[in-house]
Amino acid sequence: MFTYRSIATTVSLSLLLSGCNWVYWDEDFESYHDLSSSNPYPFHQVDIYQPDSGVGRNDITVLNSGIAALQTRIDMIRRAHKTIEVEYFIFSPDMSGKIIVQELVSAAKRGVKVRVLIDKSATVFEFDEYYADGLKDHGIDVRYYNAAPLYYISTINFRNHRKLLVVDGKEAVTGGRNIENDYFDLSEQYNFLDRDLHVSGSIVKAMQDSFNAFFEHDISERYHSPEVPNNRIELQKYERKQEAVQAFLAHTEIEEATRARIEAIARPILMEKKTYLCPETTFTSDAPGGSFWTRFKDPYSDNYRFLRKTIFDKVMTVDNSLILASPLRNLKILTMRFIP
């Protein structure tokens, strides 16, 4: 039998570049030891819980159910009083996106500052400038990460795979899920098996700070409102797009029924979930701004690739067991140490 001793989490982890290992031919892996204790990176924080003072306390709930993960996001947005930060690789204008956006609009109407950052990968990008313009009317600021054109053959591969929702700098949800029906058990064709972590505590401020760095970086585009075309055919396309956005922002009976079903299924699941107080919690992330040119003109490993060093450190210092969950290239790491 094992007794729980500690759970350290490294969350919201993104790999912005694959391959090209020859860039790191002179990397000094020995220098990575004990990085978790030394906090060497601008997007890295380690909290050690001190029971006497309560300093460094972080509570984490593991969300395996897609339906429960969506309801958690809804609940978080409804609890917001001051700020909401939203950051995703995929943000689809489907039913899950509709529900999340309408909750964000409601939050903005009650005075919450809402900011949204979406990766502009040509392969998955759907939440375009028309939707951003519609949200701007409600005071929501939408920006796009790495809007490099397709002829930037290498730079377009430097994507932002972070998935993050932060509320009031006090609670966050992060993990493998994007905003799309198939991440939340809403697709009629197929649904992903995935995992999120709901985090509340002192580590969330570091997560919020990392969002600020990505959101404010030059690589994050401040979009331009679509211009009204003069050509009749293009004008018709423009008007259809405007109508689609208005329909997306409007409440419907189907949406209300879907919301009711989501809550009916998710609420009992959430009531049974256990929340773990973590004696040691680690947050780390790569830096924004990586591109084809920064691989060569900057010390790329030192200035951008912080995640890989933290993972190395975690692997080298674990006591008895290491559990890794890695959908696609997005690496989420959960380390546990047990004693008999």
Side-chain angles (χ1 to χ4, degrees), residues 19-55:
C20 297
N21 290 331
W22 57 271
V23 174
Y24 313 109
W25 63 270
D26 60 347
E27 194 159 4
D28 179 14
F29 286 95
E30 290 302 317
S31 67
Y32 300 165
H33 291 298
D34 300 323
L35 292 180
S36 293
S37 300
S38 59
N39 287 11
Y41 311 137
F43 311 105
H44 182 93
Q45 180 172 314
V46 179
D47 285 353
I48 307 297
Y49 177 53
Q50 302 175 28
D52 293 340
S53 63
V55 172

Side-chain angles (χ1 to χ4, degrees), residues 116-135:
V116 179
L117 180 61
I118 303 171
D119 188 87
K120 202 171 185 180
S121 169
T123 59
V124 295
F125 182 68
E126 294 183 84
F127 205 91
D128 61 22
E129 289 79 359
Y130 288 88
Y131 291 100
D133 219 34
L135 293 189

Side-chain angles (χ1 to χ4, degrees), residues 9-265:
T9 63
T10 304
V11 294
S12 189
L13 308 181
S14 308
L15 296 180
L16 302 183
L17 174 65
S18 64
C20 297
N21 290 331
W22 57 271
V23 174
Y24 313 109
W25 63 270
D26 60 347
E27 194 159 4
D28 179 14
F29 286 95
E30 290 302 317
S31 67
Y32 300 165
H33 291 298
D34 300 323
L35 292 180
S36 293
S37 300
S38 59
N39 287 11
Y41 311 137
F43 311 105
H44 182 93
Q45 180 172 314
V46 179
D47 285 353
I48 307 297
Y49 177 53
Q50 302 175 28
D52 293 340
S53 63
V55 172
R57 175 169 183 144
N58 290 284
D59 297 300
I60 294 182
T61 305
V62 180
L63 300 170
N64 293 320
S65 162
I67 288 283
L70 180 56
Q71 186 63 51
T72 295
R73 287 165 169 81
I74 295 170
D75 294 343
M76 288 174 61
I77 295 170
R78 290 178 177 177
R79 287 194 292 265
H81 293 290
K82 296 180 180 179
T83 59
I84 299 174
E85 287 82 35
V86 181
E87 182 178 2
Y88 284 96
F89 176 60
I90 299 172
F91 200 118
S92 295
D94 56 12
M95 182 57 72
S96 66
K98 181 181 181 72
I99 290 171
I100 292 295
V101 163
Q102 290 184 349
E103 293 292 341
L104 293 175
V105 169
S106 295
K109 286 180 179 179
R110 63 177 187 265
V112 178
K113 180 181 179 181
V114 181
R115 295 178 294 164
V116 179
L117 180 61
I118 303 171
D119 188 87
K120 202 171 185 180
S121 169
T123 59
V124 295
F125 182 68
E126 294 183 84
F127 205 91
D128 61 22
E129 289 79 359
Y130 288 88
Y131 291 100
D133 219 34
L135 293 189
K136 182 181 178 181
D137 293 340
H138 296 283
I140 297 176
D141 190 357
V142 178
R143 297 183 187 178
Y144 300 121
Y145 188 88
N146 189 8
L150 289 175
Y151 56 82
Y152 284 25
I153 297 174
S154 179
T155 296
I156 61 171
N157 291 317
F158 287 76
R159 308 310 332 165
N160 176 12
H161 280 271
R162 288 158 44 102
K163 290 94 174 173
L164 186 63
L165 172 65
V166 181
V167 169
D168 292 338
K170 296 180 179 180
E171 61 175 319
V173 65
T174 188
R177 291 185 176 93
N178 290 290
I179 304 300
E180 193 172 56
N181 283 349
D182 42 22
Y183 288 94
F184 299 113
D185 301 333
L186 297 181
S187 173
E188 295 181 358
Q189 283 73 44
Y190 64 91
N191 290 282
F192 295 116
L193 284 175
D194 223 315
R195 177 173 293 124
D196 286 320
L197 300 179
H198 176 267
V199 186
S200 62
S202 54
I203 204 75
V204 176
K205 182 60 168 59
M207 301 167 76
Q208 186 182 48
D209 289 344
S210 75
F211 172 88
N212 291 335
F214 275 75
F215 192 79
E216 298 295 342
H217 197 279
D218 290 341
I219 201 172
S220 295
E221 177 187 84
R222 292 154 177 80
Y223 83 97
H224 301 287
S225 298
E227 295 182 1
V228 181
N230 295 321
N231 178 282
R232 183 175 62 86
I233 295 177
E234 293 302 318
L235 179 60
Q236 290 175 343
K237 293 180 181 178
Y238 173 88
E239 292 173 343
R240 286 196 296 269
K241 192 69 177 180
Q242 293 283 4
E243 292 172 358
V245 171
Q246 293 306 312
F248 177 73
L249 293 174
H251 289 286
T252 64
E253 292 183 2
I254 294 176
E255 172 222 337
E256 293 298 337
T258 302
R259 284 174 176 269
R261 290 198 300 272
I262 290 170
E263 182 152 17
I265 297 171

